Amino acid sequence: MIADLFTQNSMTLLAQDAVRFTEWNWPQGTWEWTIILAILVGVVVWSLELYRRDGQELSLGWRIFLPTLRMLAIIGLIIVLLNPQTRTQTWADRSSRVAVLVDVSSSMQNPADDPKEAYTADNQASRAAKVIELISDSNWLGDLRKQHEVSIYTFDTALSERIATFSQIIEGDVSGKSDEEPDIESIDWQNVLQPQGAETRLGEVTAELMRELNGRTLAGIVVISDGAANAGVDAQSANDVARQLKVRLVALGTGGIEPPVNLEMAKVVSPSDVQLGDPFDIEAFVRGEGISGRTVKVELLTREPGEDTAFYPVDEQTVTVLEDLTPVQVKFPIVPTVEGEWEYLLRATATGAIQEVKQSDNERVIAVNASERPVNVLIVAGGPSWDYRFLCGTLNRHPGFKVDALLQTGAVGISQDVENVLLDFPKDKASLFEYDVLICFDPNWLTIPEESRRLFEEWVGGEGGGVIFVAGDVNTPYLSGSRDDLSEILDLHPVFLDTILPGIDLVSASTQVRPIQLTAEGEAAPLLHVNDNPETSLEFWKSFPGFYRFYPTNGPKTGALVYAKAGGVGDLTEAEPPILLASQFYGQGRTFYIGSPEFYRLRAEDPEFFERFWTRISREAAQNRLRRSNPRGSLLVDQETVRLGEMIKIRSRLLDAEFEPLLADKIDIEIETPDGRLVSPAPSLRPDLAQAGGYLGEIRAQQAGRYQIRLRVPGSEEMIRESVMAELPDLENRDLRQNIRQLQTLTAGTGGGYFPLADSEKIITLLPDSSEQFLLGEQIQTLWDRTWLMCLIVGVLGVEWLIRKLLKLA
């Protein structure tokens, strides 16, 4: 107790973060005090008794002076024994910390509040806009900083890196920030908090942040979200972690809480490229919520290529929303009359006055490129089959096709119903690469030079060429049995061809007609629609008698699509029903397989059916070649539709003037966002190390709508175009209401709680000051270890001894 009092009285404040106090090595406990005091009293009594006995004959002055010297020496030794020292301690403060975790998933683009009676699209702010206003335009962040150091994080599918850290505002400090700390105003909050994520992993990310920041100075974590957790661990799991780590969680919720009323243009299906003058369909799928039983007007508007004017109406239809969240299909037939890129706007409007939770999803804009460039077709046939004869005339008379033919059984001077007759398979790139699609009617591949076959495979895989293989009775059995010599041709087939045993005559063995069985993919594929009505097309194939000859197959290859198979009972050589129609993507190209040489039988039903099938399948096979306005370049995207927040992956393949791979450090491209602005700085494609002349790039889809991508072929004035539609993910758009229960579950029992975003000021008092002091360092200085003190003790003892000698005392 005495030591403690002495220490308190000796403490002095050096600076705001340093203190100095004196320490003595006082005896501890009663026994130590008793022994030391007994020794001290004994030494003093003995000294006084000594001088009383020895100094009887001395004068009074010497009798006082000599004991005083002895007492001074004893006092000096006592000081040494008590070991006095000064201790200087430097203390520092650790600020109380608060983390603000902001939801940037795409659901934060939805309105922040329930629709009001005076609702318009202009006065309905998004949830993200309200959060940006809270952080950048109010005093809320400044109020938090009066007691805490504040760090900002964002999350959607994953936790972001720390966006910024703002130090605690110390009283008297005007700026409240260090030199390295950014200004709140200098941060582009519009970009940082831009909603883009495809998922909301609320529980998973909150648990991860708690584990990362946990410590004594963490006052709490503020989660700002609409509670739309749809992936990862649930909120209860994160709450368990918070209780275990003793982390205070506070949730600020944003978003309307009333059941939503909304009409959505859910999906639009249309071809991206069509031939000028050819009809095509635009299919719109309208989905409603809270408006079941209402009629909806669906409008189609357009503007012609090169025009920057407003959209003008083309057609409209009225449908009824029978059930919430069940799409209703609307189809618009279109015939493009002008070459170029047509833009179509599809708009859904509910009849009667309704207050939708958002109107931004009522419209969609798509682009369809109408090209007058004909499809360049080369028909290669092993012999003049009926399909070959009819197809040459059909395509040659069609204005959208330019047809050349190579009949392997022909001779010099033969005449065919095509533009040019070839006597040999193309032997160089300049000759082969001018074609968009090759239609191969059972050719004899062994008579085509190996170098030409390799060039053919390169044209498909590297240059996006399309191929239609038609199996036959003469040469296809030799192809299936020549796996070593013709491996590059067999690789292009989307099916595995069966090896026919010697002696089997396919023609004589096919004596019974077999019906056609469409798969689910075949029923949905437009190329098998014999007219504009899918239902009547399906009925036609069910009633169609079928074909006699089907080449046996051993199943499709991985990734191939099967559209139709042979029905009925086959002969003993069949291990499974032969595939009639299948396709696969091969590199940048696409290949089709037709397992019967009898599609000419469609002409007996209606000549238009035959023409429709072959024109559609030819254009489908040549799709990647048709997308390029220059045979030296291609521009492709991995998906025509991406979810908002995902990366749009772009690929290009470019050739120089000699049709050799173009080599460059980068290829510049233009990307126009849905709001009509060009991405700046202009992005570029980097070389693809896996493919000479190939280039890769990507950009994130941060806005819902259509992105237009343009690339100018080096050394050419031609521009290649591609477009991608960015859509709100279904996960983020399933429920437009704020999930209050999710946020309450997250924060329950942690010492925090849930509050609406409008009550953000109330959470200030829930976050305690968790700052702490810690010892930064200390210094100890011994006080008795001084020269003057040692000299004083020795000097006093020496003087006493000398005087005693002079006075002749014992």
Side-chain angles (χ1 to χ4, degrees):
M1 177 64 71
I2 298 176
D4 293 339
L5 291 174
F6 193 92
T7 300
Q8 292 176 11
N9 294 334
S10 303
M11 185 180 296
T12 57
L13 184 64
L14 289 180
Q16 186 176 0
D17 57 353
V19 292
R20 176 186 294 167
F21 53 90
T22 304
E23 295 180 335
W24 297 78
N25 190 18
W26 297 103
Q28 302 293 323
T30 305
W31 284 105
E32 287 189 18
W33 277 103
T34 302
I35 294 173
I36 290 176
L37 288 176
I39 295 174
L40 180 61
V41 171
V43 172
V44 172
V45 171
W46 172 78
S47 299
L48 294 176
E49 179 61 24
L50 176 65
Y51 276 103
R52 185 190 67 77
R53 187 178 65 248
D54 292 347
Q56 292 180 355
E57 299 179 356
L58 299 177
S59 63
L60 179 61
W62 289 115
R63 281 185 290 170
I64 295 174
F65 181 68
L66 288 174
T68 301
L69 292 177
R70 177 65 63 88
M71 292 299 104
L72 289 174
I74 292 172
I75 291 172
L77 292 175
I78 291 174
I79 292 174
V80 173
L81 177 65
L82 293 178
N83 189 26
Q85 58 187 10
T86 59
R87 185 184 298 270
T88 303
Q89 293 182 336
T90 303
W91 293 82
D93 292 326
R94 285 192 178 99
S95 297
S96 177
R97 297 175 295 135
V98 167
V100 178
L101 182 60
V102 182
D103 186 352
V104 292
S105 63
S106 56
S107 65
M108 295 293 284
Q109 288 186 335
N110 294 326
D113 304 306
D114 293 313
K116 305 298 188 297
E117 293 182 3
Y119 169 80
T120 65
D122 296 332
N123 63 15
Q124 188 76 342
S126 69
R127 299 167 187 180
K130 290 287 188 180
V131 176
I132 293 171
E133 179 182 352
L134 174 68
I135 291 180
S136 62
D137 299 335
S138 72
N139 296 323
W140 180 75
L141 200 57
D143 292 339
L144 272 180
R145 294 178 62 197
K146 291 178 180 178
Q147 280 192 321
H148 314 281
E149 173 189 277
V150 182
S151 298
I152 309 293
Y153 296 82
T154 62
F155 78 98
D156 42 40
T157 59
L159 177 66
S160 73
E161 298 291 334
R162 184 170 52 192
I163 303 301
T165 295
F166 304 102
S167 59
Q168 180 182 352
I169 298 176
I170 307 300
E171 187 176 355
D173 184 356
V174 178
S175 65
K177 75 179 190 69
S178 63
D179 294 338
E180 296 81 10
E181 181 182 321
D183 289 317
I184 296 178
E185 297 80 8
S186 67
I187 298 178
D188 185 2
W189 294 109
Q190 291 285 347
N191 182 53
V192 170
L193 303 182
Q194 173 70 37
Q196 59 187 20
E199 297 175 339
T200 305
R201 295 180 176 265
L202 176 63
E204 181 177 308
V205 169
T206 305
E208 180 182 350
L209 186 61
M210 285 189 288
R211 295 187 182 98
E212 180 179 322
L213 299 182
N214 187 38
R216 292 192 302 272
T217 60
L218 180 62
I221 296 177
V222 180
V223 180
I224 305 178
S225 174
D226 56 10
N230 47 47
V233 301
D234 57 14
Q236 184 59 57
S237 299
N239 180 265
D240 294 340
V241 174
R243 290 170 181 256
Q244 179 183 358
L245 299 179
K246 298 181 179 179
V247 175
R248 190 183 305 262
L249 294 180
V250 179
L252 289 177
T254 179
I257 59 175
E258 296 295 329
V261 176
N262 193 54
L263 178 64
E264 175 190 8
M265 182 66 66
K267 187 177 182 181
V268 176
V269 178
S270 75
S272 59
D273 296 88
V274 297
Q275 182 68 27
L276 186 65
D278 279 1
F280 68 94
D281 294 329
I282 296 179
E283 296 179 87
F285 293 85
V286 181
R287 181 169 56 194
E289 185 172 6
I291 58 172
S292 60
R294 283 182 175 266
T295 57
V296 174
K297 181 175 68 174
V298 182
E299 300 173 88
L300 175 67
L301 302 93
T302 189
R303 59 184 173 200
E304 296 185 5
E307 298 292 334
D308 197 20
T309 57
F311 288 93
Y312 61 87
V314 175
D315 195 2
E316 69 176 52
Q317 297 184 34
T318 301
V319 295
T320 302
V321 178
L322 299 178
E323 187 177 349
D324 281 355
L325 300 180
T326 300
V328 180
Q329 181 184 14
V330 181
K331 181 182 293 187
F332 295 99
I334 303 294
V335 179
T337 57
V338 177
E339 184 179 14
E341 188 175 61
W342 288 75
E343 289 186 289
Y344 295 95
L345 170 66
L346 291 105
R347 177 190 300 147
T349 308
T351 58
I354 64 170
Q355 298 174 3
E356 292 189 62
V357 70
K358 63 175 181 176
Q359 292 183 332
S360 59
D361 58 355
N362 289 27
E363 298 181 351
R364 287 203 180 214
V365 177
I366 63 170
V368 178
N369 185 44
S371 173
E372 199 171 15
R373 182 174 79 84
V375 180
N376 292 322
V377 179
L378 174 60
I379 301 178
V380 181
S385 65
W386 287 109
D387 267 343
Y388 165 78
R389 297 176 187 178
F390 289 133
L391 184 60
C392 285
T394 298
L395 292 186
N396 193 45
R397 289 189 295 270
H398 196 290
F401 290 86
K402 178 183 176 183
V403 184
D404 293 345
L406 169 60
L407 182 61
Q408 291 181 313
T409 57
V412 177
I414 66 170
S415 176
Q416 300 287 292
D417 192 8
V418 295
E419 186 163 334
N420 295 302
V421 176
L422 277 63
L423 297 178
D424 295 301
F425 194 87
K427 299 179 180 179
D428 54 60
K429 292 182 178 180
S431 300
L432 178 61
F433 286 16
E434 69 179 22
Y435 295 106
D436 300 313
V437 61
L438 263 67
I439 302 176
C440 304
F441 286 100
D442 192 25
N444 184 353
W445 292 102
L446 293 173
T447 62
I448 298 175
E450 180 179 0
E451 186 62 31
S452 295
R453 297 197 302 265
R454 291 178 180 174
L455 185 64
F456 173 56
E457 190 273 339
E458 178 186 345
W459 170 76
V460 177
E463 305 306 324
V467 186
I468 303 172
F469 295 103
V470 182
D473 311 316
V474 179
N475 296 309
T476 303
Y478 291 100
L479 170 64
S480 63
S482 303
R483 301 189 183 276
D484 295 332
D485 297 331
L486 300 175
S487 59
E488 66 274 9
I489 304 301
L490 289 170
D491 288 343
L492 292 173
H493 279 67
V495 300
F496 294 102
L497 297 176
D498 194 3
T499 302
I500 303 300
L501 296 176
I504 294 181
D505 186 351
L506 291 176
V507 177
S508 60
S510 305
T511 58
Q512 184 176 352
V513 66
R514 300 176 64 179
I516 309 301
Q517 290 186 344
L518 302 186
T519 64
E521 291 79 6
E523 293 178 1
L527 61 90
L528 284 174
H529 293 171
V530 296
N531 53 38
D532 293 333
N533 190 328
E535 295 181 0
T536 58
S537 293
L538 182 59
E539 292 299 324
F540 166 79
W541 287 109
K542 288 181 179 179
S543 61
F544 180 63
F547 302 147
Y548 286 87
R549 289 177 288 165
F550 296 89
Y551 192 87
T553 57
N554 290 327
K557 294 182 178 178
T558 302
L561 288 177
V562 176
Y563 303 100
K565 295 182 178 182
V569 180
D571 55 42
L572 296 178
T573 64
E574 290 186 10
E576 58 180 84
I579 294 173
L580 174 63
L581 182 61
S583 75
Q584 73 170 357
F585 288 97
Y586 187 91
Q588 295 192 37
R590 192 174 185 185
T591 66
F592 283 82
Y593 169 79
I594 297 177
S596 174
E598 297 184 11
F599 262 84
Y600 68 88
R601 295 186 183 275
L602 288 178
R603 290 173 52 85
E605 304 294 331
D606 190 332
E608 184 182 345
F609 292 174
F610 181 84
E611 178 180 349
R612 187 184 183 99
F613 170 75
W614 277 107
T615 55
R616 286 205 170 192
I617 195 174
S618 299
R619 285 194 177 128
E620 190 75 19
Q623 191 68 248
N624 288 342
R625 294 287 294 182
L626 292 176
R627 287 179 178 176
R628 57 175 79 188
S629 58
N630 190 300
R632 290 175 41 211
S634 66
L635 183 64
L636 300 173
V637 292
D638 282 6
Q639 303 178 73
E640 294 183 356
T641 303
V642 299
R643 295 188 300 181
L644 194 65
E646 289 184 339
M647 302 301 294
I648 299 174
K649 297 181 179 180
I650 307 166
R651 295 184 294 154
S652 178
R653 167 78 169 167
L654 299 173
L655 304 177
D656 60 18
E658 286 73 35
F659 288 92
E660 296 296 333
L662 177 69
L663 303 180
D665 294 334
K666 65 175 183 177
I667 298 296
D668 293 328
I669 60 175
E670 289 182 358
I671 297 182
E672 183 178 325
T673 59
D675 58 5
R677 295 183 298 177
L678 293 178
V679 174
S680 180
S684 60
L685 304 181
R686 63 186 182 277
D688 182 3
L689 300 180
Q691 182 184 37
Y695 297 88
L696 304 171
E698 58 186 15
I699 184 174
R700 187 178 299 279
Q702 296 183 337
Q703 300 178 33
R706 185 169 59 88
Y707 283 78
Q708 298 186 60
I709 307 165
R710 295 186 285 268
L711 182 153
R712 189 179 300 278
V713 178
S716 170
E717 294 300 320
E718 299 291 343
M719 185 78 76
I720 311 174
R721 292 175 172 84
E722 186 59 271
S723 63
V724 177
M725 179 64 69
E727 299 180 340
L728 277 174
D730 286 338
L731 284 176
E732 293 292 301
N733 212 27
R734 286 179 180 172
D735 193 345
L736 303 180
R737 290 175 292 180
Q738 178 189 164
N739 194 333
I740 296 178
R741 178 170 295 182
Q742 190 89 252
L743 298 175
Q744 290 175 334
T745 301
L746 179 70
T747 60
T750 66
Y754 162 81
F755 295 87
L757 192 67
D759 296 337
S760 59
E761 295 297 332
K762 294 182 179 180
I763 74 167
I764 305 296
T765 57
L766 282 180
L767 300 170
D769 185 355
S770 300
S771 60
E772 66 174 8
Q773 277 195 333
F774 67 97
L775 182 63
L776 191 62
E778 65 178 6
Q779 293 180 339
I780 299 176
Q781 185 177 18
T782 304
L783 296 178
W784 64 267
D785 190 11
R786 301 288 188 272
T787 302
W788 62 269
L789 180 60
M790 301 304 296
C791 292
L792 177 62
I793 295 173
V794 173
V796 168
L797 291 174
V799 170
E800 180 194 9
W801 176 83
L802 180 60
I803 293 176
R804 287 178 64 86
K805 289 298 181 182
L806 292 176
L807 296 177
K808 298 180 179 180
L809 299 177

